């Protein structure tokens, strides 16, 4: 395989890993539960996206054809990530988890 | 395409066919036929479980909206990455209530999902009367502005696409 393609694949893999790392850091660093939700729901989308693009380029170049089934990973991730975040947030509201003291606005009672 | 008794969800059938071809990761007449068969059979067998799907009035508008959302997701990733790596004492988290006009279940789900995927917001709860969405934001300066942004950027296009009556 051409060095250029290998370089591009490596670049996308690094970029993807970097964003996955940032998402994990967010989960670790942010002060309260609701803020922690933001890291994994967003930063990881680009993390997975970078790896998916790397995979598409790699297998596309190796097999001399178009490799598109990686797109399904993105599709399923876009469908499932908001749902799991929503369920986690609902559970946290139910449990009345401690909020960071600077949080403005209060969740309602139902 | 009009839904009929033997083809209850034409759009779903097409989606299933495309997903099947993507799963196989190849294109041949055999798989096209098999995918078409599955796309026809699965909606037919499961049609009792389906809620009434909304009519999509403007498919092109929906595609444009989805492209716009994907672009926003890219920006959201960069923004959230910056917020996470910056000092966390500077963050201004808040719960914001957003009044929604959408009534259809699928359209509401799409709005909530889009809110969760885009800049610094996660939809946390929907009120029992389905009129208000509770959203948690990571860093917001002006709640009013955020509500206006979300309504203009995401709700208005969805209202147009699904042609719900704006009450």
């Amino acid at each position: 395989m051409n060095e250029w393609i290998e370089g591009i694949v490596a670049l996308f893999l690094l970029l993807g890993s970097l964003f996955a790392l940032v998402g994990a850091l967010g989960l670790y660093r942010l002060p309260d539960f609701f803020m922690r939700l933001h890291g994994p729901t967003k930063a990881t989308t680009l993390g997975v996206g970078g790896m998916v693009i790397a995979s598409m380029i790699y297998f596309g170049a190796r097999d001399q054809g178009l490799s598109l089934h990686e797109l399904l990973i993105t599709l399923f991730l876009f469908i499932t990530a908001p749902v799991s975040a929503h369920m986690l947030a609902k559970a946290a509201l139910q449990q009345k988890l401690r909020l960071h003291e600077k949080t403005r606005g209060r969740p309602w009672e139902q | 395409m009009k839904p009929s008794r033997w083809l209850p969800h034409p759009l779903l059938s097409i989606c299933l066919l495309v997903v099947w071809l993507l799963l196989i990761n190849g294109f041949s007449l055999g798989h096209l036929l098999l995918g078409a068969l599955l796309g026809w059979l699965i909606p037919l067998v499961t049609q009792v479980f389906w809620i009434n799907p909304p009519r999509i009035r403007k498919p092109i508008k929906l595609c444009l909206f989805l492209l716009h959302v994907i672009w926003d997701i890219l920006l959201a990733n960069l923004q959230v990455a910056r917020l996470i790596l910056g000092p966390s004492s500077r963050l201004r988290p808040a719960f914001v209530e957003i009044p929604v006009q959408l009534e259809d279940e699928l359209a509401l789900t799409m709005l909530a999902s889009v809110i969760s995927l885009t800049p610094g917001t996660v939809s946390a709860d929907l009120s029992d009367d389905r009129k208000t969405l509770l959203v948690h934001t990571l860093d917001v300066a002006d709640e009013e502005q955020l509500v206006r942004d979300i309504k203009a950027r995401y709700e208005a296009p969805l209202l147009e696409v699904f042609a719900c009556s704006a009450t």
Side-chain angles (χ1 to χ4, degrees):
Chain A
M1 196 183 295
N2 186 324
E3 287 96 13
W4 278 100
I5 296 175
E6 279 179 4
I8 294 170
V9 168
L11 188 76
F12 273 109
L13 278 178
L14 275 176
L15 201 74
S17 333
L18 194 71
F19 274 97
L21 179 68
V22 168
L25 268 179
L27 191 64
Y28 171 71
R29 275 195 62 189
L30 293 173
D32 78 357
F33 178 84
F34 290 97
M35 292 164 84
R36 284 182 180 172
L37 263 182
H38 291 278
T41 46
K42 284 176 222 85
T44 46
T45 331
L46 211 61
V48 174
M51 289 177 208
V52 161
I53 293 173
S55 164
M56 279 167 70
I57 297 174
Y58 178 77
F59 286 102
R62 201 192 62 175
D63 305 337
Q64 304 293 325
L66 217 53
S67 176
L68 287 178
H69 66 337
E70 285 90 346
L71 284 180
L72 280 180
I73 300 175
T74 321
L75 177 73
F76 291 142
L77 190 72
F78 279 1
I79 297 175
T80 53
V83 176
S84 47
H86 187 85
M87 291 328 277
L88 282 170
K90 260 184 109 89
L93 285 178
Q94 177 87 12
Q95 296 278 317
K96 299 197 174 60
L97 286 189
R98 185 184 59 82
L99 296 173
H100 189 241
E101 66 267 17
K102 270 167 62 189
T103 309
R104 281 167 294 156
R106 283 286 165 264
W108 53 48
E109 306 272 334
Q110 276 192 17
Chain B
M1 251 187 289
K2 283 257 183 234
S4 67
R5 200 164 139 252
W6 290 106
L7 193 66
H9 302 287
L11 214 63
L12 180 66
S13 301
I14 293 170
C15 287
L16 281 171
L17 173 61
V18 171
V19 166
W20 177 256
L21 288 178
L22 282 174
L23 265 178
I24 295 299
N25 205 19
F27 185 83
S28 68
L29 187 65
H31 283 305
L32 187 71
L33 283 176
L34 189 55
L37 181 74
L38 285 171
W40 171 68
L41 214 59
I42 292 172
L44 198 68
V45 172
T46 56
Q47 69 171 313
V48 271
F49 303 115
W50 282 89
I51 48 171
N52 288 330
R55 284 281 303 280
I56 295 174
R57 299 292 164 97
K58 294 178 178 168
I60 298 164
K61 185 108 189 169
L62 183 66
C63 293
L64 282 177
F65 173 69
L66 290 179
L67 282 179
H68 184 108
V69 165
I70 287 173
W71 177 245
D72 276 1
I73 289 171
L74 282 182
L75 292 182
N77 274 277
L78 296 175
Q79 199 184 342
V80 170
R82 196 171 49 82
L83 289 175
I84 287 172
L85 294 176
S88 52
S89 56
R90 278 226 311 264
L91 297 176
R92 293 158 292 181
F95 275 102
V96 181
E97 291 180 15
I98 298 176
V100 286
Q101 294 169 356
L102 291 167
E103 285 166 352
D104 180 79
E105 284 161 337
L106 183 67
L108 265 174
T109 312
M110 279 182 79
L111 180 68
S113 301
V114 165
I115 286 175
S116 288
L117 285 171
T118 46
T121 47
V122 167
S123 64
D125 204 0
L126 181 66
S127 67
D128 288 337
D129 60 1
R130 298 184 173 186
K131 293 258 188 298
T132 320
L133 202 61
L134 185 68
V135 168
H136 183 266
T137 57
L138 190 54
D139 183 51
V140 64
D142 181 3
E143 286 98 332
E144 300 279 316
Q145 182 66 37
L146 180 83
V147 171
R148 276 201 299 276
D149 275 356
I150 286 180
K151 287 186 85 73
R153 286 169 81 106
Y154 307 125
E155 197 190 5
L158 280 174
L159 271 173
E160 251 186 88
V161 167
F162 291 103
C164 303
S165 56
T167 43

